[in-house]
Amino acid sequence: MRLTILTGHSRGLGAALAAQLIARGDRVLGIARHALPLPAATLEQWPHDLADPLPLAVRLQTWLEAQDPSAIEQATLINNAGVVSTPQPLREADPAALSAALRVGLEATLLLCQAFLAGTRGWTLPRRVLNVSSGLGRRAMASSAAYCAAKAGMDHLTRCLALEEALLPHGARVASVAPGVFDTDMQRQLRSADAAAFPDRDVFVALHRDGKLLPPETAAQRLLAFLERPDFGAEPVADVRS
């Protein structure tokens, strides 16, 4: 039995990942603000706002410590949840929205990585952490400071974790992976943004107009294929297209 913990599973890429994980027979724990209409036997769900990640991390570590590792073939954490605040210059942004974006995109990722690694401490079975990053963590974009900062922080967090886990005899493999461009609520939000406040708006309009956005299902397939690569984690910061 494969155990996979997935955040942001209720829509978009997360929902596509959940469907494909369930289809291949994983035991899936989904964490998001909203639940999918699926039976508990198919998908265990914890409704939780990841903008308040500390109690969730405590719960996850306790839950993992109660699992029987002898019944698990592989354990995986996929940090997929993220928030895009209204595209606008930082000076004009809502502080509460900025805080939520950083809490969901970076703080929750860090705390859930800690909970996963601590809760499975001593397990000798394969463990993997996939942090779903973005090209915007590696390339700055005006009017997107919180999202870019969260993804850049995710990438560097993953580099640190890779160094730590490499020192252990059964350390986890970790990678922060950009999934490529695909159609999401975020893309629709960027296309509909105020062009005066978001200078890159036309770039995202063109991606949609020219048919260059993958469906979420294809992006999910590529991420899961990357996760199963024998060299997963060899490059802590990666891209599915490489």
Side-chain angles (χ1 to χ4, degrees):
M1 184 269 295
R2 293 185 175 190
L3 171 64
T4 301
I5 301 150
L6 170 66
T7 68
H9 74 286
S10 63
R11 61 180 184 174
L13 177 62
L17 285 167
Q20 292 175 31
L21 289 165
I22 292 168
R24 78 179 192 183
D26 283 31
R27 177 188 176 190
V28 181
L29 168 60
I31 304 170
R33 284 183 299 171
H34 307 291
L36 290 173
L38 293 172
T42 301
L43 171 68
E44 183 171 353
Q45 301 184 77
W46 292 358
H48 192 93
D49 185 350
L50 276 89
D52 182 25
L54 183 55
L56 174 64
V58 172
R59 180 184 181 187
L60 179 61
Q61 180 174 342
T62 301
W63 183 82
L64 285 166
E65 289 171 344
Q67 304 304 306
D68 177 7
S70 68
I72 300 171
E73 175 187 347
Q74 178 173 300
T76 301
L77 169 65
I78 303 178
N79 282 304
N80 164 70
V83 171
V84 177
S85 52
T86 301
Q88 59 190 168
L90 187 66
R91 63 183 176 272
E92 299 173 6
D94 173 35
L98 294 173
S99 177
L102 286 173
R103 285 181 178 274
V104 174
L106 183 55
E107 184 179 345
T109 297
L110 184 148
L111 291 178
L112 292 180
C113 283
Q114 187 278 332
F116 177 78
L117 295 171
T120 59
R121 189 196 313 267
W123 293 14
T124 58
L125 56 92
R127 295 174 298 148
R128 298 192 172 191
V129 175
L130 170 60
N131 292 325
V132 180
S133 186
S134 168
L136 293 179
R138 303 152 202 183
R139 175 180 62 83
M141 186 169 70
S143 299
S144 305
Y147 185 79
C148 290
K151 293 303 185 182
M154 173 185 281
D155 285 351
H156 214 46
L157 162 67
T158 306
R159 291 185 181 99
C160 294
L161 291 179
L163 292 173
E164 295 172 2
E165 293 299 304
L167 299 174
L168 303 175
H170 299 285
R173 295 187 180 186
V174 299
S176 185
V177 183
V181 290
F182 58 98
D183 207 8
T184 61
D185 290 344
M186 171 186 144
Q187 285 281 340
R188 287 185 282 276
Q189 183 177 352
L190 296 176
R191 291 196 299 269
S192 62
D194 178 3
F198 182 43
D200 286 303
R201 176 182 176 273
D202 288 348
V203 173
F204 293 91
V205 171
L207 286 171
H208 182 258
R209 181 193 64 225
D210 298 340
K212 294 183 177 179
L213 296 175
L214 298 172
E217 292 76 15
T218 302
Q221 289 171 0
R222 292 184 177 185
L223 274 174
L224 292 180
F226 194 96
L227 181 64
E228 293 305 308
R229 284 171 49 163
D231 64 344
F232 178 84
E235 293 292 337
V237 176
D239 190 302
V240 292
R241 294 163 290 191
S242 63

